[in-house]
Amino acid sequence: MAANTSRSKRRRRLLGAVAALVVAVLGVGAGLLWYNSGGHGQERSDAKAPRQAPDAVRETVERPPRSPEGQAVVMHNETGLPDDQLYAPGTWATGKILARAVGHRIEGYPIDPRFDLTSTAWKLRLDGHVCAVSRDVTADGRTAVVVQPPDAAKKGVCNEVLVVDLDTGEKLWQKKMPSADFAYVTNTNLALTRGVVAVAWGKGSVAYDIGSGKRLWNTTLATSQCHDTGFAGGRALLALVTCGDDDDTDYRVEKLDPRTGKVRWRYSVSKGVQDVYLPSADPPVVAVAAGDTLVTDLITLDPASGERRARISMRGYQPDCGAAMYPGPFFGTVDKCYGVVTGRDRIFVMSKESDEIRKPANHITAFDPVKGTAVARFDGRPFQPVLPVRTSGDDLIVFRSTLDDVQPAAVVGWNPRTDKETPYLLFHLPEDDASELGDPEQSDVLYEQGHAFFARRAMERDDSHPKDPVLSVIGIGSAGLRH
């Protein structure tokens, strides 16, 4: 429903583009001047990539390319689609490989425009369908997924976790999760933190050493009415704990020692909240749906004590958390808020789109997590909404889509302290697929090591032409060399 509403709004706004064609043409000229003038385009953050252990969750700092002119570096189609949808819940990139979890396999595609853009570097067959994915990758290019075992396909149980090297496609280890008979695609959540893979499914949880696959700790519902619903990883490990039943549910957030599972602090969420998400573990940010099914507020916590710092109203904003997102509650939703990006000392939130033709399509606001106040704002352009992708040092990487064939889409860096904008890539997505690929409700949008990727989370065939291929993912890189 959310995806359909978004597409309808974009179609309505696109009709206004005809009346504003002159403005659009001028906008292209302005965009070219913007890069070559030595103004915004020459400003960039001097932040350096942090030194990280191989098993730490990756934090990449980007540098602008020599030229922002984009060219395709990956383009992969799916053929022979089933009668219903084919889900592709995971997308990850390294400097060499773009990897996708599609159905019951993970594939790696080489990132190199000199060769066949449609080639496959490796393919890893899984025992069953993917049930949950982590949004994170380690500094040395590993990630984890939860899958169905071959004997559980009919029951739908999701009780196997595995770690894969994304550069090579090698399965490093695979384990059966203990007491996971009630782990399903609808309730299983997965997160990575330094050296640890943590999985929760509402009636239990388990953590493994990411290098060896050794089980570190696990919990079950046998002796408690409170249970781990999901985790958020990264620099720390947060658990969302649910107590009670569906009619009378209480939530709390716990910071855990990743190696032992011991609780370092607890924060109790106010009663009456309908749902809770964890868009960031460090700094800790809690997204709550208070009296509504959509997120109404962000709550920031002190990372040392768990005490509440600030409450930020989401009125007028679109955090796009969890079950409200396409394709619904599948594949792990606790830590996924596509309209929220959290940096070390800023929270970036995407606004709702405007219906005003001559005004910016939307904007991104930077909030101070300690005070909860808005400190900077990045505006989109008419017919060009903006999406926060991730942080790069203290800057924000932004995807600016386009709703017409004149203005190019762009990936830019934004420094919220100086309000300077640095261009990374200018490009057009394929016309027939652009609206869906650039929509975070339907597709993963990534930027990693100079490349932008747009990947559908679900694909379905055209009934009129069932054998036609469907574009699964496209990658864009610079036509010039990076510094």
Side-chain angles (χ1 to χ4, degrees), residues 149 151 159-161 174-181 208 215:
D151 59 350
N159 64 0
E160 292 189 353
V161 58
Q174 183 166 344
K175 300 290 182 179
K176 183 177 180 180
M177 302 186 310
S179 305
D181 293 340
Y208 297 92
R215 191 196 309 173

Side-chain angles (χ1 to χ4, degrees), residues 236-249:
L237 184 65
L238 289 190
L240 176 62
V241 180
T242 306
C243 302
D245 52 36
D246 293 339
D247 297 327
D248 185 20
T249 303

Side-chain angles (χ1 to χ4, degrees), residues 448-471:
E448 182 62 36
Q449 300 184 45
H451 304 109
F453 302 99
F454 304 86
R456 283 186 169 100
R457 295 194 200 104
M459 288 156 284
E460 55 186 331
R461 67 187 187 186
D462 184 343
D463 290 337
S464 300
H465 305 279
K467 295 184 179 181
D468 285 359
V470 174
L471 182 60

Side-chain angles (χ1 to χ4, degrees), residues 186-337:
T186 54
N187 65 356
T188 304
N189 290 268
L190 171 68
L192 303 183
T193 190
R194 179 170 177 175
V196 174
V197 178
V199 189
W201 54 91
K203 294 186 181 297
S205 59
V206 63
Y208 297 92
D209 179 86
I210 197 170
S212 65
K214 176 185 177 182
R215 191 196 309 173
L216 300 174
W217 50 268
N218 68 283
T219 66
T220 65
L221 189 60
T223 60
S224 174
Q225 289 302 307
C226 297
H227 48 275
D228 295 335
T229 299
F231 298 109
R235 301 188 200 106
L237 184 65
L238 289 190
L240 176 62
V241 180
T242 306
C243 302
D245 52 36
D246 293 339
D247 297 327
D248 185 20
T249 303
D250 292 330
Y251 298 94
R252 67 173 184 249
V253 177
E254 297 178 345
K255 184 174 183 178
L256 305 182
D257 181 314
R259 306 295 300 185
T260 65
K262 292 183 178 179
V263 178
R264 293 180 174 174
W265 52 249
R266 288 188 175 94
Y267 171 79
S268 296
V269 179
S270 300
K271 291 183 178 295
V273 167
Q274 300 295 314
D275 219 334
V276 178
Y277 303 96
L278 303 176
S280 174
D282 185 11
V285 179
V286 182
V288 300
D292 197 347
T293 57
L294 300 179
V295 169
T296 55
D297 301 271
L298 298 183
I299 298 171
T300 65
L301 306 178
D302 185 295
S305 66
E307 294 181 357
R308 193 174 90 170
R309 283 176 161 178
R311 191 180 191 103
I312 304 170
S313 172
M314 289 293 96
R315 184 185 298 272
Y317 290 94
Q318 191 169 327
D320 279 347
C321 293
M325 294 296 296
Y326 186 86
F330 304 152
F331 312 118
T333 60
V334 165
D335 64 341
K336 296 178 176 67
C337 292

